[in-house]
Amino acid sequence: TRHVLTEAEHRHPYQAPRWDYAPTGKLRIEMKERTSEPLRKRWADSAKRRLEDVLNDVVLGLVVVADATRARRLQREREERERQEAELRRIEAERQRREELERRQRLERQVESWTKAQQARAFVDEVERRAQAKDKSTEPGSELAEWIAWARRHADRLDPLKPPGPAEGITGSQPGA
């Protein structure tokens, strides 16, 4: 029934209850647990039978709902684990794809560098051959000899297969580096 405010409650009506409850003489047990299965979750006294007479059914119903709830929780946990494992597999596949792409790009850069080094060496050899054919000086100390030496060192720096000289240090462009 609707609650009638007392004299003390009139001073603070927002603290007073809205309803007064009185026993009906009927007992009722109800589970608020939601299940996707059509399980019985409510028992009450009736004209034909009192709740005390069906307590075994109530306990059995509680166990059945608890089992269904547990099974649903375990299913959700399994699905979550599977989702996480799939995500880890996806991340690993993406990491492998990126590594493969980087390896390909590194190989292509090394091939380009090696090709440039080969072309530079061929060019320098041709410059030296033509200079000698025209009797131009390629003796040590000449301007052309200095340029040829510099060009060969540069070709060596470009070549990813040539180990670095003692003064050059490691460039990290060698295969496998």
Side-chain angles (χ1 to χ4, degrees):
T1 59
R2 186 173 291 281
H3 179 71
V4 178
L5 295 177
T6 65
E7 205 174 296
E9 292 172 334
H10 275 294
R11 286 183 233 136
H12 305 290
Y14 55 87
Q15 293 178 346
R18 189 170 178 178
W19 303 101
D20 287 330
Y21 296 95
T24 62
K26 288 190 173 186
L27 184 58
R28 179 174 158 169
I29 297 177
E30 182 176 340
M31 285 186 280
K32 299 293 185 182
E33 182 67 33
R34 298 180 191 268
T35 61
S36 56
E37 302 86 8
L39 300 174
R40 183 171 183 184
K41 294 178 273 186
R42 198 177 310 161
W43 296 264
D45 285 335
S46 69
K48 294 181 182 178
R49 188 163 59 168
R50 295 172 44 128
L51 188 60
E52 295 89 350
D53 298 335
V54 293
L55 283 180
N56 284 340
D57 294 343
V58 172
V59 171
L60 181 61
L62 292 172
V63 170
V64 168
V65 170
D67 283 347
T69 301
R70 180 177 178 268
R72 191 173 64 247
R73 178 183 51 81
L74 292 174
Q75 174 68 21
R76 278 194 315 265
E77 289 172 358
R78 185 173 58 253
E79 289 170 356
E80 177 62 17
R81 271 192 316 275
E82 290 170 359
R83 187 195 64 74
Q84 288 175 350
E85 289 168 2
E87 179 66 9
L88 288 175
R89 284 190 303 273
R90 184 196 66 77
I91 289 170
E92 178 61 18
E94 176 64 20
R95 183 192 63 76
Q96 289 175 353
R97 186 195 65 77
R98 278 193 317 270
E99 281 181 6
E100 179 65 19
L101 179 62
E102 289 171 11
R103 288 180 74 193
R104 288 178 188 174
Q105 290 172 342
R106 185 171 45 247
L107 172 63
E108 290 169 7
R109 286 190 307 270
Q110 289 171 339
V111 168
E112 287 173 13
S113 293
W114 180 78
T115 302
K116 282 182 183 180
Q118 296 299 87
Q119 290 172 341
R121 286 186 186 112
F123 178 75
V124 172
D125 290 346
E126 184 62 22
V127 167
E128 187 174 33
R129 188 188 64 73
R130 288 185 184 192
Q132 289 171 351
K134 293 181 181 181
D135 289 331
K136 289 192 177 178
S137 175
T138 57
E139 294 297 318
S142 69
E143 188 176 332
L144 184 55
E146 294 294 321
W147 182 87
I148 289 171
W150 170 85
R152 286 194 172 128
R153 284 192 309 273
H154 179 65
D156 288 346
R157 283 190 298 269
L158 290 173
D159 191 344
L161 299 178
K162 180 146 178 76
E168 294 179 59
I170 296 175
T171 62
S173 62
Q174 274 65 30

